[in-house]
C-alpha cells in the first residue's frame, strides 16, 4: 500500500504542555506555526499535569464496588476521562482566540471505538472520514487523548500514557504523520543524565524504539509504538519547549523520527544503550536435576502472572542438582520468592536467594541482524572495566546483561563508548 | 392525561451536596433510603461546589474568539460540562460501594436533547424509554445536571442553575415526581433571616413559586418551575442535611411540595412576602406631554434589552409636561440612564434622576384571585409603619410596591404579620 501525499498532520501535547493556560498558549503557538505552513491539523491532548491523579484519587476515595457487584472501571473511566475533555475545550478556545478555526472532538463524537476493557481499553477502530473532512476544510480538530467509547456508547480510557496511543490511532485514521511534543527533545543513544556524551538520534526504527520503551526509556508508551509500526505511522518525538522564530517558523529536523527500518539509510550496529533497575534476581540453589523441574518452576510463575525475563541454569555443588537463576520485575520478586518457598518440598531445592541489587544493561540496534561480533564487543568492554555479568539474554536486535547495580552507570558509559556512540 | 401509578422517583442534589466525597456519601445514603422503599430512582447531580467557577475561569482565561470567528460558547460548554460528569461518576461509584446497582448516564447518552444556544441551551426532548427501562430494572441512574446535547451531537449547557431544570425534565420523561435536595429545608413564607417567625410552607402552587423565584427567592431556578408547571411534575424541595434514622427511614412530609393549585386544599390569600434589592428607579422630570413620549422611551429601552418593571406617570411642575418614573434591574440602570441622557433632546425632558436606594416588596398568593381587599391590607400595614411607596405594580397573584431601601426589612415584617403568616 502506498500512502497518498498528504498535508495532514497529527500533533500531540502531553500533560506538562497542557499544565496551565500559559502552557496551553505555547502549544497553540506551535500548532499555529504548522497551520501557517498549510498543514491540515488534528491535535491530541492530555489532561493538565496532575489532574488525572486528582481524579483517580477521588475514584479511589469513592471506594470499590461492594461484593457481588461488577467492577466499577466503567465509572472510573467516566470520571477520569473528564480531564482531557477540559484541555481539549481550552485548547480549541485558545486557538480561536489566536484567530484560527478549531473545534474539539470527544472520543464518542469521532468515535474512537474501543473494546470494553474499562481502564485499559484497546482502540479497535477510528473512522477517518468525518474527522478528515473537518481538518481538510481548514478547521483544526482538537481531540482528547486517553479516551474512547465502546460500541454500546460508554466512555472508556486507555490506561496511563494512553494519549500517545490515541495520537497514533488518529494519525493512522487520517493517513498522517504524528508529531509528539513532550518534555524531552528526542530519543537519545542513552540517558544523558548518565552519559553527557549521549547523542540525539535523528531517526530510530520502530523495533529499536519498542525495545527501548520496554526497557524503561519512557519517551513513548510501548503500545503507541506497536500501533505506529503496525499502521506504518511516522512518529516524531520533539520538545514542547520550542518556540516559533520571528517569522513563525519552527526549527527544521528537530526531535527524533521513529520510522520503518528501510527509511534509515545509515544504519548503526547499535543505536542505544539502556539501563533498567526494575529487576530482581532469584536463585534456587540445589534444585533436583529432573528434566521437568525448570518447567515446574516457570509454570507456577506464569500461572501467578509473574513475568520471567532472563534464565540461567548451572551445575550445583550437590551431585545431581542444579542452580536455577531467573529475573523478574522488582515488584513481583517478593511474591515470586514466597510462592517458591511455599512449594519448596514439591520443587525440591535446598535454598532460595533473592537479590534486588542488580541492573539490566542492554544494547539495541537493528544492525545486529547483519553483523557478527556485537556480543564480543560488549563482553570485552565490560571485562575491561572489571564488570562481571550474572546472566545474559538476547533477541534479534538486543543483547542484555544482568550486572551488580553498583557498576551500572560505569557499564553504560563503557558500552556507549565501545559502540562509537559518544558525541564528538 | 392521567398519570399512571409509578414508583419511579427523580432526586436532585446540588453542588453543596456534591462538595466532597463525604458529602457525596451522605447524598448516597439518602438515595439508598429511597431505594430501600422500592423506589426506581434517577439521581440528577450538580458539579462539586466551586468547580464550575474554576472551569468558567479557565475558559475566560483562554479568551474570546478572535474577530471574524463565531462565538466560542460551544467549547465553553465542553469544558464546563465536565464538572457534572465527574460527580455523576463519583456518585455511581459511591452507590456501588454501598451495595447498590448504579450507573451514570451522560447528557449525550440519554440523550437530553437541547437547542444549540450554547451556554444557555433549552431542553427540547428527553426520551424516557431507555432510561425508564434502566431504572425499572432496579439500576439507579445517575445523570449529570446542567448538560445536554444538540441533535448534531455537540455538548451543551443550560446556563447557571440549570441542574434543577435537568431534574424536572428527567422527571417529566420518566413520569415521576422530583425531589430537589438543597441547602434550605423548604420554601418559607418569607426569608427567615429577616423574619424569624417565617414558616415553612407544606405546599405552594407552581404559579406562586414562579413569582417567588422571579422575585429573588433563590430556592429553584425559574425555568425549572415553568417546566414543572407545564409538565405537571410535582417537585419537593427539601434539605440535603437530613439523615435516614436507624431503620433507614427518611423524615415524612419534609420540605415543601410545589404542585398544582388544585392540590392545595387550604388556600391562603397570601402565601409569601418577598423582597428584592435588585432594582433601581429612573425618573425623567419634565418630559414633554406628547402621547407618544412614553412609547418612545420604552421602545428605546426594549431595543437595548433593558427590562422595565414598574411604571408611574405623574403631572410635572412645568405646564404641559409629565414626570415619568420606571424601574429596571440594578445592573441595567446605569446603561439605561446613559441612553436616555444621550437622547435627551429627542425625547424632550428636563432632568434625569437615578436612585438605586430602593427595594421592591411583594406579596404573593393564588387566593388573591378570589379575594378583595388584599391591596388595602398591604397599604394600611405599610402606612401604619410610616413607609411610603414610590410605585406599585400588580399581577393576578402578586402586588409589589417600591419603597426606600432603609425600610425594606421593616416592611417585610409588617406585611408578614398583617397577612397572618407569623408562626405561632
Amino acid at each position: 500500500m502506498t500512502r497518498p501525499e498528504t498535508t495532514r498532520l497529527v500533533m500531540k501535547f502531553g500533560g506538562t504542555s497542557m499544565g496551565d493556560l500559559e502552557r496551553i498558549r505555547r502549544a497553540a503557538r506551535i500548532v499555529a506555526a504548522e497551520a501557517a505552513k498549510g498543514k491540515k491539523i488534528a491535535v491530541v491532548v492530555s489532561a493538565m499535569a496532575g489532574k488525572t491523579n486528582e481524579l483517580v484519587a477521588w475514584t479511589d476515595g469513592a471506594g470499590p464496588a461492594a461484593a457481588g457487584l461488577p467492577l466499577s472501571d466503567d465509572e472510573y473511566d467516566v470520571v477520569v476521562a473528564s480531564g482531557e475533555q477540559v484541555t481539549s475545550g481550552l485548547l480549541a478556545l485558545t486557538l480561536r482566540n489566536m484567530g484560527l478555526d478549531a473545534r474539539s472532538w470527544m472520543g464518542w463524537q469521532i468515535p474512537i471505538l474501543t473494546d470494553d476493557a474499562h481502564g485499559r481499553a484497546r482502540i479497535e477502530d477510528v473512522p477517518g472520514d468525518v474527522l478528515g473532512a473537518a481538518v481538510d476544510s481548514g478547521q483544526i480538530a482538537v481531540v482528547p487523548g486517553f479516551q474512547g467509547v465502546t460500541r454500546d456508547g460508554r466512555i472508556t480510557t486507555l490506561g496511563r500514557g494512553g494519549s500517545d496511543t490515541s495520537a497514533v490511532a488518529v494519525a493512522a485514521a487520517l493517513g498522517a504523520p504524528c508529531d509528539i511534543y513532550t518534555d524531552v527533545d528526542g530519543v537519545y543513544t542513552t540517558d544523558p543524565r548518565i552519559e553527557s556524551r549521549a547523542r540525539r538520534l535523528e531517526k530510530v526504527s520502530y523495533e529499536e524504539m519498542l525495545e527501548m520503551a520496554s526497557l524503561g526509556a519512557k519517551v513513548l508508551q510501548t503500545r503507541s509504538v506497536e500501533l505506529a509500526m503496525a499502521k506504518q505511522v511516522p512518529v516524531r518525538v520533539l520538545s514542547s519547549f520550542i518556540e516559533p522564530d520571528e517569522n513563525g517558523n519552527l526549527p527544521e529536523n528537530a526531535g527524533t523520527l521513529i520510522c520503518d527500518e528501510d527509511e534509515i539509510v545509515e544504519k548503526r550496529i547499535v543505536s542505544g544503550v539502556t539501563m533498567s533497575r526494575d529487576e530482581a534476581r532469584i536463585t534456587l540453589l540445589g534444585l533436583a536435576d529432573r528434566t521437568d523441574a525448570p518447567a515446574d518452576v516457570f509454570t507456577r510463575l506464569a500461572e501467578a502472572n509473574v513475568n520471567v525475563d532472563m534464565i540461567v541454569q548451572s551445575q550445583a555443588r550437590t551431585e545431581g542438582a542444579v542452580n536455577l537463576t531467573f529475573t523478574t520485575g522488582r515488584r513481583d520478586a517478593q511474591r515470586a520468592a514466597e510462592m517458591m518457598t511455599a512449594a519448596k518440598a514439591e520443587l525440591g531445592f535446598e535454598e532460595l536467594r533473592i537479590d534486588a541489587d542488580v541492573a539490566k544493561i542492554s544494547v539495541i540496534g537493528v544492525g545486529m541482524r547483519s553483523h557478527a561480533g556485537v556480543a564480543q564487543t560488549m563482553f570485552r568492554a565490560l571485562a575491561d572495566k572489571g564488570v562481571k555479568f550474572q546472566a545474559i539474554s538476547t533477541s534479534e536486535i538486543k543483547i542484555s546483561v544482568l550486572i551488580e547495580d553498583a557498576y551500572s552507570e560505569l557499564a553504560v558509559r563503557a558500552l556507549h563508548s565501545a559502540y562509537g556512540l559518544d558525541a564528538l
Side-chain angles (χ1 to χ4, degrees), chain A residues 73-94:
Chain A
D73 295 337
D74 53 343
E75 298 300 337
Y76 165 95
D77 283 352
V78 168
V79 175
V80 177
S82 69
E84 281 75 11
Q85 178 167 330
V86 169
T87 46
S88 56
L90 290 177
L91 179 58
L93 285 170
T94 305

Side-chain angles (χ1 to χ4, degrees), chain A residues 194-210:
Chain A
I194 296 175
E195 172 53 88
S196 60
R197 283 173 292 188
R199 282 188 297 180
R200 177 168 61 83
L201 292 163
E202 271 188 42
K203 293 182 179 181
V204 65
S205 73
Y206 295 120
E207 284 126 306
E208 288 168 326
M209 192 66 210
L210 269 181

Side-chain angles (χ1 to χ4, degrees), chain A residues 143-184:
Chain A
V143 178
F146 183 57
Q147 66 172 238
V149 66
T150 66
R151 286 175 202 277
D152 292 343
R154 303 260 4 233
I155 295 171
T156 52
T157 66
L158 308 183
R160 280 307 177 94
S163 290
D164 289 341
T165 308
S166 302
V168 172
V170 169
L174 296 181
C178 182
D179 285 356
I180 296 196
Y181 286 85
T182 178
D183 47 7
V184 295

